């Protein structure tokens, strides 16, 4: 299941935009705004191309990322690299980051106030400067925050949604957003059966890569998914 790698040119961006993003990343590394910073080795901000048209957002760094200083470098990140490569996307052609930039203790999910603080100070300004064409939201925390929904990612994965963000000039831009299962979930559920998590993820990444290449348009692009009871960051799926 491989395809040749293709380049995905990002939106035209002035050098000042990239410089502003790098300056934001540098300031982010010194953040002590929430309780997570006290329990981790370093702030894990981002990795990849600031001019990329693809942005990948996960939940937060794990222990390997906390030591390395880059997102998605542990077992789940290595699996993500293989998933991208199988669809013809190189890691270097994307910009990778997380909802929260510091490792949460005991492998717990970030709390609502931690998410609100980190996204207000860092993720939202990142997206304002990045202005990607496509966003992949990996796992519950990323999908629920970016879409403002309570639904678990297994309910909404593989669908395209409109995702509107403020840009650095004070206007707005619209990206295509697809929720996907987090690679960590695939490691916990390794079955390759048709219709299983790995099969669904293969379908989703091929769809996303085809849209990035301009080979197809999304069949349907939805507005915000309907909310369901359970709390925005309650117990979830993947």
């Amino acid at each position: 299941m491989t395809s040749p790698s293709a380049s995905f040119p990002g939106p035209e961006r002035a050098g000042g935009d990239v410089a502003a993003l790098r300056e934001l990343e540098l300031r982010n590394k010194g953040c002590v705004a929430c309780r997570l910073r006290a329990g981790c080795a370093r702030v894990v901000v981002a990795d990849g191309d600031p001019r990329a048209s693809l942005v990948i957002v996960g939940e937060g760094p794990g222990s390997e990322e906390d030591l390395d200083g880059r997102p998605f470098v542990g077992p789940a990140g290595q699996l993500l690299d293989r998933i991208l490569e199988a669809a013809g996307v190189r890691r270097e052609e994307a910009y990778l980051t997380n909802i929260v930039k510091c490792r949460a203790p005991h492998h717990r999910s970030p709390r609502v106030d931690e998410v609100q603080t980190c996204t207000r100070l860092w993720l939202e300004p990142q997206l304002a400067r990045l202005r990607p064409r496509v966003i992949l939201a990996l796992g519950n925390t990323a999908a629920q925050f970016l879409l403002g929904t309570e639904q678990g990612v297994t309910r909404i994965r593989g669908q395209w949604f409109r995702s509107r963000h403020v840009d650095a000039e004070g206007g707005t831009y619209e990206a295509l957003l697809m929720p996907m299962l987090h690679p960590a979930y695939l490691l916990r559920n390794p079955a390759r059966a048709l219709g299983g998590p790995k099969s669904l993820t293969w379908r989703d990444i091929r769809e996303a890569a085809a849209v990035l290449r301009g080979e197809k348009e999304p069949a349907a692009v939805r507005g915000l998914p309907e909310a369901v009871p359970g709390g925005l960051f309650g117990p979830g799926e993947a």
Side-chain angles (χ1 to χ4, degrees):
M1 297 188 301
T2 59
S3 60
S5 179
S7 179
F8 307 111
E12 289 296 325
R13 237 185 295 280
D17 294 334
V18 175
L21 180 63
R22 293 308 193 200
E23 192 273 337
L24 177 75
E25 294 172 347
L26 185 62
R27 287 192 285 113
N28 191 173
K29 291 180 181 180
C31 180
V32 292
C34 82
R35 69 177 72 87
L36 290 180
R37 182 64 186 95
C40 67
R42 66 188 73 199
V43 181
V44 180
V45 178
D47 191 30
D49 184 357
R51 295 180 175 85
S53 58
L54 171 64
V55 167
I56 299 174
V57 183
E59 176 179 289
S63 55
E64 292 88 352
E65 289 79 10
D66 186 41
L67 293 173
D68 184 276
R70 293 179 299 140
F72 295 102
V73 296
Q78 293 163 23
L79 177 56
L80 175 62
D81 289 351
R82 295 196 295 272
I83 291 168
L84 293 171
E85 184 179 354
V89 184
R90 298 192 304 273
R91 179 187 176 100
E92 303 80 46
E93 295 173 314
Y95 184 93
L96 299 91
T97 190
N98 283 302
I99 292 290
V100 298
K101 316 303 189 191
C102 293
R103 178 178 60 86
H106 310 299
H107 304 288
R108 70 165 171 82
S109 296
R111 295 170 182 163
V112 174
D113 64 314
E114 295 162 353
V115 169
Q116 291 173 341
T117 297
C118 202
T119 53
R120 174 178 56 84
L121 290 175
W122 308 116
L123 180 65
E124 291 170 0
Q126 276 179 304
L127 292 174
R129 290 159 175 81
L130 288 161
R131 301 195 307 277
R133 179 169 177 242
V134 171
I135 301 172
L136 299 181
L138 306 185
N140 267 341
T141 300
Q144 289 175 338
F145 172 78
L146 289 169
L147 289 174
T149 183
E150 298 169 341
Q151 291 198 38
V153 70
T154 57
R155 294 173 181 264
I156 55 176
R157 53 131 293 274
Q159 303 175 53
W160 288 109
F161 296 93
R162 294 182 180 89
S163 181
R164 182 167 293 175
H165 303 274
V166 175
D167 65 23
E169 285 73 45
T172 61
Y173 74 91
E174 197 170 89
L176 292 167
L177 185 146
M178 178 185 283
M180 289 179 55
L181 299 175
H182 197 287
Y185 180 77
L186 303 182
L187 291 175
R188 299 193 300 269
N189 297 270
R192 297 177 178 272
L194 186 65
K198 286 195 171 183
S199 172
L200 295 173
T201 297
W202 174 236
R203 175 263 173 211
D204 295 346
I205 195 61
R206 284 191 301 172
E207 165 77 9
V211 170
L212 272 168
R213 292 190 188 99
E215 296 171 357
K216 63 177 296 186
E217 292 295 322
V221 181
R222 297 164 173 81
L224 294 180
E226 294 181 3
V228 296
L232 187 55
F233 300 108
E237 311 142 287

